[in-house]
mmCIF file of all heavy atoms in Angstrom:
data_model
loop_
_atom_site.group_PDB
_atom_site.id
_atom_site.type_symbol
_atom_site.label_atom_id
_atom_site.label_comp_id
_atom_site.label_asym_id
_atom_site.label_seq_id
_atom_site.Cartn_x
_atom_site.Cartn_y
_atom_site.Cartn_z
ATOM 1 N N ASP T 1426 -5.755 -19.992 -14.959
ATOM 2 C CA ASP T 1426 -5.621 -21.246 -15.762
ATOM 3 C C ASP T 1426 -4.710 -21.098 -16.947
ATOM 4 O O ASP T 1426 -4.292 -22.071 -17.541
ATOM 5 C CB ASP T 1426 -7.029 -21.787 -16.145
ATOM 6 C CG ASP T 1426 -8.013 -20.713 -16.514
ATOM 7 O OD1 ASP T 1426 -7.560 -19.607 -16.921
ATOM 8 O OD2 ASP T 1426 -9.217 -20.947 -16.374
ATOM 9 N N HIS T 1427 -4.401 -19.850 -17.326
ATOM 10 C CA HIS T 1427 -3.446 -19.635 -18.401
ATOM 11 C C HIS T 1427 -2.440 -18.591 -17.944
ATOM 12 O O HIS T 1427 -2.847 -17.478 -17.578
ATOM 13 C CB HIS T 1427 -4.163 -19.167 -19.647
ATOM 14 C CG HIS T 1427 -3.229 -18.559 -20.657
ATOM 15 N ND1 HIS T 1427 -2.279 -19.261 -21.351
ATOM 16 C CD2 HIS T 1427 -3.087 -17.242 -21.063
ATOM 17 C CE1 HIS T 1427 -1.624 -18.468 -22.156
ATOM 18 N NE2 HIS T 1427 -2.094 -17.213 -21.993
ATOM 19 N N PHE T 1428 -1.155 -18.924 -17.871
ATOM 20 C CA PHE T 1428 -0.128 -17.998 -17.350
ATOM 21 C C PHE T 1428 0.300 -17.100 -18.518
ATOM 22 O O PHE T 1428 1.007 -17.505 -19.436
ATOM 23 C CB PHE T 1428 1.059 -18.781 -16.795
ATOM 24 C CG PHE T 1428 2.137 -17.893 -16.242
ATOM 25 C CD1 PHE T 1428 2.066 -17.407 -14.922
ATOM 26 C CD2 PHE T 1428 3.243 -17.525 -16.993
ATOM 27 C CE1 PHE T 1428 3.021 -16.592 -14.376
ATOM 28 C CE2 PHE T 1428 4.260 -16.700 -16.412
ATOM 29 C CZ PHE T 1428 4.131 -16.227 -15.126
ATOM 30 N N ASP T 1429 -0.138 -15.833 -18.485
ATOM 31 C CA ASP T 1429 0.189 -14.852 -19.488
ATOM 32 C C ASP T 1429 1.424 -14.108 -19.030
ATOM 33 O O ASP T 1429 1.358 -13.267 -18.120
ATOM 34 C CB ASP T 1429 -0.980 -13.932 -19.687
ATOM 35 C CG ASP T 1429 -0.772 -12.896 -20.808
ATOM 36 O OD1 ASP T 1429 0.439 -12.623 -21.145
ATOM 37 O OD2 ASP T 1429 -1.726 -12.371 -21.326
ATOM 38 N N GLU T 1430 2.588 -14.409 -19.606
ATOM 39 C CA GLU T 1430 3.854 -13.837 -19.152
ATOM 40 C C GLU T 1430 3.798 -12.333 -19.084
ATOM 41 O O GLU T 1430 4.320 -11.702 -18.115
ATOM 42 C CB GLU T 1430 5.046 -14.319 -19.993
ATOM 43 C CG GLU T 1430 6.369 -13.718 -19.479
ATOM 44 C CD GLU T 1430 7.649 -14.252 -20.166
ATOM 45 O OE1 GLU T 1430 7.582 -15.350 -20.741
ATOM 46 O OE2 GLU T 1430 8.623 -13.511 -20.078
ATOM 47 N N LYS T 1431 3.161 -11.727 -20.111
ATOM 48 C CA LYS T 1431 3.114 -10.255 -20.190
ATOM 49 C C LYS T 1431 2.379 -9.660 -18.951
ATOM 50 O O LYS T 1431 2.868 -8.708 -18.359
ATOM 51 C CB LYS T 1431 2.412 -9.792 -21.460
ATOM 52 C CG LYS T 1431 3.282 -8.900 -22.293
ATOM 53 C CD LYS T 1431 2.659 -8.454 -23.630
ATOM 54 C CE LYS T 1431 1.239 -8.038 -23.604
ATOM 55 N NZ LYS T 1431 0.564 -8.233 -24.884
ATOM 56 N N GLU T 1432 1.288 -10.289 -18.582
ATOM 57 C CA GLU T 1432 0.534 -9.820 -17.425
ATOM 58 C C GLU T 1432 1.331 -9.923 -16.124
ATOM 59 O O GLU T 1432 1.318 -8.991 -15.300
ATOM 60 C CB GLU T 1432 -0.724 -10.730 -17.223
ATOM 61 C CG GLU T 1432 -1.918 -10.325 -18.000
ATOM 62 C CD GLU T 1432 -3.070 -11.304 -17.815
ATOM 63 O OE1 GLU T 1432 -3.066 -12.111 -16.895
ATOM 64 O OE2 GLU T 1432 -4.006 -11.208 -18.641
ATOM 65 N N TRP T 1433 2.068 -11.026 -15.970
ATOM 66 C CA TRP T 1433 2.826 -11.189 -14.765
ATOM 67 C C TRP T 1433 4.060 -10.373 -14.701
ATOM 68 O O TRP T 1433 4.504 -9.982 -13.630
ATOM 69 C CB TRP T 1433 3.066 -12.708 -14.539
ATOM 70 C CG TRP T 1433 1.776 -13.350 -14.122
ATOM 71 C CD1 TRP T 1433 0.850 -13.956 -14.962
ATOM 72 C CD2 TRP T 1433 1.210 -13.389 -12.783
ATOM 73 N NE1 TRP T 1433 -0.247 -14.353 -14.232
ATOM 74 C CE2 TRP T 1433 -0.060 -14.040 -12.913
ATOM 75 C CE3 TRP T 1433 1.622 -13.002 -11.522
ATOM 76 C CZ2 TRP T 1433 -0.913 -14.279 -11.813
ATOM 77 C CZ3 TRP T 1433 0.814 -13.213 -10.448
ATOM 78 C CH2 TRP T 1433 -0.435 -13.825 -10.557
ATOM 79 N N ARG T 1434 4.624 -10.064 -15.867
ATOM 80 C CA ARG T 1434 5.816 -9.121 -15.890
ATOM 81 C C ARG T 1434 5.293 -7.746 -15.491
ATOM 82 O O ARG T 1434 6.002 -7.002 -14.787
ATOM 83 C CB ARG T 1434 6.438 -9.096 -17.262
ATOM 84 C CG ARG T 1434 7.277 -10.346 -17.526
ATOM 85 C CD ARG T 1434 8.490 -10.088 -18.443
ATOM 86 N NE ARG T 1434 9.265 -11.313 -18.631
ATOM 87 C CZ ARG T 1434 10.270 -11.637 -17.834
ATOM 88 N NH1 ARG T 1434 10.679 -10.868 -16.863
ATOM 89 N NH2 ARG T 1434 10.892 -12.777 -18.017
ATOM 90 N N ARG T 1435 4.098 -7.415 -15.918
ATOM 91 C CA ARG T 1435 3.517 -6.116 -15.561
ATOM 92 C C ARG T 1435 3.246 -6.097 -14.016
ATOM 93 O O ARG T 1435 3.512 -5.093 -13.374
ATOM 94 C CB ARG T 1435 2.246 -5.878 -16.359
ATOM 95 C CG ARG T 1435 1.533 -4.602 -15.958
ATOM 96 C CD ARG T 1435 0.563 -4.106 -17.037
ATOM 97 N NE ARG T 1435 -0.386 -3.159 -16.461
ATOM 98 C CZ ARG T 1435 -0.056 -1.902 -16.070
ATOM 99 N NH1 ARG T 1435 1.171 -1.492 -16.190
ATOM 100 N NH2 ARG T 1435 -0.963 -1.150 -15.508
ATOM 101 N N ALA T 1436 2.715 -7.187 -13.487
ATOM 102 C CA ALA T 1436 2.501 -7.259 -12.068
ATOM 103 C C ALA T 1436 3.810 -7.090 -11.266
ATOM 104 O O ALA T 1436 3.862 -6.365 -10.323
ATOM 105 C CB ALA T 1436 1.839 -8.573 -11.675
#
Side-chain angles (χ1 to χ4, degrees):
D1426 39 25
H1427 162 70
F1428 183 83
D1429 182 339
E1430 181 173 338
K1431 237 177 44 209
E1432 273 176 15
W1433 288 90
R1434 285 211 178 269
R1435 177 161 161 70

